[in-house]
Amino acid sequence: MLRACKLAKPWRTIISTTINPRQHTTVQSAAGSHKHIHIHSSSSAYFRTHDNAHPILANSSSRRSYISLPSSFTALVQQVWEMIELHTKVRKKQRKALILKLRQNTLTNISMKSIRHNMEFARTRAKSNMEFARTRANLYYNAKVRRQRYLYESTVEHTKQMQVQSKDRWRKWLKQAKGKEKENDDDDTASVLLEVEIDDVNGDYKRVWFDEDGFPRTSRDKNGRFVNPWSVVSSTPPFSSFLRWRRERWMDSYAPASLREPQSLEERQQFLPIVTSCNASSAKKNKKNIEFQWIGHSTCLVQMDDFTILTDPVFSNHAAPIPAGVPRFTPPALNLEQLQEKHIDAVVISHDHYDHLDVHSLREIEDRGLMSEQGKYFVPLGHKHYIMRTCGIAADKICELEWWQSSTIQKHSHELKISCAPAQHWCSRTPFDRNLRLWCSWAFRSTTSTSTSTSEKSFYFAGDTGVPDNFPLHEQIGERLGPFDLAALPIGAYAPNWFMKESHCAPHETVQIHRAIRARYSVGVHWGTWALADEPYFEPPRLLREACASAGDGLVFGRDMLVVRHGERVEFPCSDDDSDGVDGHSNEEMIVDPHPVLLKE
């Protein structure tokens, strides 16, 4: 509806007309002057004025209709129309603003709902995670309780059977140790020794862990992993004990970190010197003797008759799978180039820990051709495939043995018998291969046969071992494979005792092993190279000297048991030699000069 009100002079009239879409009208004003207006009702209306419009056209059916109005009316109508358009634009803006506000309110509501939904979802998820963690902790705790209960409540039927079979034999050992010759002895000490914690084996994996004579066999648990049959717990140390030890080591509970290794090159050269040339005692080599040279840690070079033996060769600078592992503070006394002329006949590996099995060193030995024609690598059960895969050594050059098995090497008129003996330890190179490979010690016996006589030389390499509390492990080794002319026994990595006791031996326990295996001479190894445990690096030789002094029975430190410098070569007489001491010295004299580490304050 279009309305024009109160028109200006000279008209005193009100014109009112209705404009429909596409409608054109002719209007005549009261003043009599006609104007023709074209009103087009579309999206943008417009006016056309025509003078001299014919009145008849107002009623015609033509496309356009005209009205006659004064000329000022056009401007008035245009103003009115502009006001209408302005009002329409304002209404459109208001409508757009309202729509925008509604849209913003809608988006805000949606956002708030989304936030509430996310918060609810996060709350539900956190609650679910807490429930899962609680359930997991309960399952872990129940499994731990079941395992402890299994270890604690394991039947002793097998132990009693072993006691019945071995009681007479072990009582005989006790009589010999105490000097008793009576045939009928009612001493119950043997029964005390027989009270050993041994897990019974039931079900499909049942196996006799001891033979009819009471000697331990190579044993596995129900998961197929190797165990110490006289004490299963000693071969499976819990991870919580490791964490406790690391925490105490960080707090320097036993000894400060500054004492675990030399703090300067001068200190290392003063107290842990490396001998680069042979000493005066070994300048004239006697083939009747056993020549021993300590390269470092458990790496020893032993020569008996025409045989050359290398034990646990580790020439790397770190005892870890990565170079950032445990650093070596004393370099090896010999490098692989200096071993080029040795022509090694036997390389023995005691177990797979990184300070005893170094794949880089084995690979270098093989690549440089340091082995003799009949030379072999002797490893305990489970190591052969691993060494073939990591070192690229042929299968026919690796001899894999289990406890009490032996192998021989022939060379001219000499025969070297290499026997795999038990040890109390465990194996692991990753968190996932615990005890999948066996651990052991090694016994060597060289026999020289001539037309008139036969002579023997023997050497024992203990590797890593603990001393069982209630089981005569090393007495059995001494009886079955001993006695020995020379033994290399570990004296380091024993602190703290509550954590290391099951897998390493302290110096006073080394003295016990020396006596048990019936060794004539023993050299302390497994110290002064890596900071594996918490004791000061200079403490093991001192404690060994104190243990020898308190042992009595004529055991003399420096003669029967001694420590040597890195790289130092010493000759030890074999059992059939008439000399009283090493290199012809009497038993009252020192074999070698005192180690400088014994002089450290």
Side-chain angles (χ1 to χ4, degrees):
M1 179 70 68
L2 177 64
R3 298 179 183 274
C5 305
K6 199 68 175 181
L7 296 178
K9 292 180 181 180
W11 309 280
R12 297 287 185 179
T13 182
I14 297 177
I15 301 175
S16 176
T17 183
T18 300
I19 301 176
N20 295 323
R22 293 293 182 178
Q23 181 180 356
H24 305 273
T25 309
T26 300
V27 181
Q28 182 177 0
S29 65
S33 60
H34 295 81
K35 293 291 183 181
H36 300 276
I37 300 177
H38 175 219
I39 300 175
H40 186 269
S41 296
S42 62
S43 59
S44 59
Y46 60 92
F47 299 89
R48 290 182 183 180
T49 59
H50 302 275
D51 294 333
N52 301 321
H54 200 281
I56 302 176
L57 294 177
N59 297 323
S60 65
S61 60
S62 63
R63 184 176 182 181
R64 295 180 178 177
S65 300
Y66 299 94
I67 59 174
S68 297
L69 294 173
S71 60
S72 59
F73 184 74
T74 304
L76 177 61
V77 173
Q78 289 180 355
Q79 293 178 3
V80 173
W81 191 258
E82 289 177 358
M83 291 174 63
I84 295 172
E85 286 186 345
L86 179 61
H87 180 71
T88 304
K89 291 179 179 179
V90 171
R91 293 301 298 269
K92 286 183 178 180
K93 289 182 179 180
Q94 291 178 354
R95 190 183 300 109
K96 289 182 179 180
L98 180 60
I99 294 173
L100 181 61
K101 185 175 181 180
L102 292 175
R103 185 179 297 172
Q104 290 178 351
N105 293 338
T106 304
L107 294 177
T108 302
N109 294 334
I110 294 175
S111 300
M112 293 300 296
K113 290 182 179 179
S114 177
I115 292 173
R116 285 194 296 268
H117 175 73
N118 292 338
M119 291 178 63
E120 188 68 25
F121 177 76
R123 190 181 299 108
T124 305
R125 186 175 182 179
K127 185 177 180 181
S128 176
N129 291 340
M130 290 179 63
E131 292 292 337
F132 176 75
R134 189 180 296 107
T135 305
R136 185 178 181 181
N138 291 335
L139 292 176
Y140 175 78
Y141 175 77
N142 294 334
K144 185 176 180 180
V145 169
R146 286 196 300 269
R147 181 176 179 273
Q148 292 178 351
R149 187 178 301 164
Y150 167 75
L151 295 176
Y152 179 76
E153 296 179 354
S154 58
T155 60
V156 295
E157 181 180 355
H158 184 71
T159 305
K160 292 180 179 179
Q161 183 181 2
M162 181 197 65
Q163 292 175 0
V164 173
Q165 295 176 353
S166 306
K167 186 174 182 179
D168 296 337
R169 189 179 186 89
W170 289 353
R171 182 178 284 113
K172 179 180 178 182
W173 290 336
L174 291 174
K175 289 179 182 179
Q176 292 177 355
K178 294 183 178 181
K180 295 182 180 180
E181 298 180 353
K182 296 182 180 180
E183 296 181 358
N184 298 324
D185 188 5
D186 296 331
D187 191 2
D188 293 333
T189 310
S191 299
V192 176
L193 286 179
L194 294 177
E195 294 178 0
V196 186
E197 289 187 11
I198 300 178
D199 282 3
D200 188 24
V201 282
N202 300 313
D204 297 336
Y205 64 98
K206 183 175 181 180
R207 178 177 178 177
V208 179
W209 284 356
F210 296 85
D211 61 12
E212 61 277 1
D213 295 327
F215 291 94
R217 294 176 174 175
T218 302
S219 307
R220 302 173 186 259
D221 61 6
K222 63 179 181 180
N223 297 319
R225 300 178 184 267
F226 294 102
V227 295
N228 296 317
W230 53 86
S231 177
V232 176
V233 180
S234 63
S235 56
T236 56
F239 186 68
S240 58
S241 299
F242 173 78
L243 296 179
R244 175 189 168 189
W245 168 60
R246 297 300 297 183
R247 183 179 68 253
E248 293 183 358
R249 189 177 194 184
W250 179 72
M251 298 173 62
D252 295 336
S253 299
Y254 186 86
S258 59
L259 299 179
R260 297 173 194 154
E261 59 184 72
Q263 297 301 303
S264 63
L265 179 61
E266 293 76 11
E267 181 181 355
R268 197 264 298 168
Q269 293 176 347
Q270 179 181 0
F271 298 108
L272 295 174
I274 298 177
V275 180
T276 57
S277 60
C278 62
N279 52 17
S281 63
S282 60
K284 296 181 180 180
K285 184 176 180 181
N286 187 354
K287 291 186 177 181
K288 293 183 179 181
N289 298 337
I290 300 176
E291 183 180 293
F292 177 88
Q293 186 174 15
W294 186 38
I295 299 176
H297 199 57
S298 294
T299 306
C300 307
L301 187 66
V302 182
Q303 290 181 309
M304 299 192 312
D305 294 329
D306 290 340
F307 298 103
T308 301
I309 303 167
L310 184 63
T311 65
D312 285 350
V314 179
F315 295 88
S316 298
N317 294 324
H318 294 83
I322 57 176
V326 182
R328 184 173 194 151
F329 58 80
T330 304
L334 296 177
N335 54 37
L336 294 173
E337 294 179 356
Q338 294 172 315
L339 296 176
Q340 194 74 33
E341 58 183 13
K342 296 296 183 180
H343 301 294
I344 303 171
D345 298 298
V347 174
V348 295
I349 304 297
S350 61
H351 59 290
D352 65 359
H353 288 167
Y354 287 93
D355 58 326
H356 294 261
L357 173 57
D358 182 24
V359 296
H360 302 287
S361 299
L362 293 179
R363 193 180 298 119
E364 284 292 322
I365 291 174
E366 185 66 18
D367 294 342
R368 292 175 181 269
L370 303 183
M371 304 294 292
S372 62
E373 294 181 1
Q374 66 276 2
K376 288 186 177 181
Y377 299 87
F378 293 88
V379 298
L381 191 62
H383 286 72
K384 183 175 182 178
H385 178 72
Y386 179 80
I387 293 178
M388 290 173 55
R389 177 170 53 87
T390 56
C391 304
I393 301 176
D396 57 348
K397 300 185 68 174
I398 303 176
C399 182
E400 191 176 56
L401 302 175
E402 59 179 282
W403 291 348
W404 308 120
Q405 287 185 344
S406 302
S407 180
T408 58
I409 298 177
Q410 298 287 339
K411 194 172 185 181
H412 307 302
S413 61
H414 309 287
E415 180 183 87
L416 180 64
K417 182 180 180 181
I418 303 175
S419 302
C420 180
Q424 178 170 296
H425 205 61
W426 54 281
C427 278
S428 177
R429 289 183 75 85
T430 67
F432 312 104
D433 61 351
R434 172 68 63 89
N435 296 341
L436 293 180
R437 292 175 283 270
L438 187 62
W439 52 93
C440 71
S441 57
W442 294 98
F444 305 86
R445 188 167 298 275
S446 174
T447 305
T448 302
S449 300
T450 61
S451 58
T452 57
S453 64
T454 301
S455 62
E456 289 186 349
K457 299 180 181 66
S458 56
F459 169 67
Y460 176 72
F461 174 65
D464 262 0
T465 183
V467 178
D469 292 332
N470 298 318
F471 186 78
L473 173 64
H474 296 95
E475 285 82 354
Q476 291 180 338
I477 295 175
E479 180 175 349
R480 194 161 186 171
L481 301 175
F484 299 100
D485 297 319
L486 176 64
L489 306 179
I491 63 172
Y494 52 82
N497 183 65
W498 64 266
F499 180 64
M500 297 292 182
K501 178 177 175 57
E502 298 292 347
S503 53
H504 297 101
C505 56
H508 70 277
E509 295 173 322
T510 304
V511 175
Q512 299 176 15
I513 297 176
H514 170 79
R515 288 176 169 177
I517 63 176
R518 295 185 291 171
R520 187 178 184 188
Y521 303 103
S522 293
V523 180
V525 297
H526 201 270
W527 71 280
T529 308
W530 318 90
L532 299 176
D534 295 348
E535 75 273 2
Y537 72 92
F538 52 83
E539 187 180 70
R542 295 183 178 183
L543 295 184
L544 182 62
R545 180 177 58 181
E546 296 175 1
C548 291
S550 60
D553 297 338
L555 188 64
V556 178
F557 176 77
R559 185 194 68 194
D560 303 315
M561 300 192 70
L562 66 154
V563 291
V564 297
R565 298 170 177 85
H566 287 76
E568 187 173 10
R569 288 186 290 185
V570 183
E571 290 188 14
F572 297 87
C574 59
S575 57
D576 57 355
D577 198 347
D578 295 334
S579 60
D580 295 330
V582 176
D583 301 330
H585 292 277
S586 64
N587 290 341
E588 300 298 330
E589 299 180 7
M590 298 291 292
I591 297 178
V592 293
D593 296 332
H595 199 287
V597 77
L598 298 172
L599 305 177
K600 181 176 174 57
E601 298 180 357

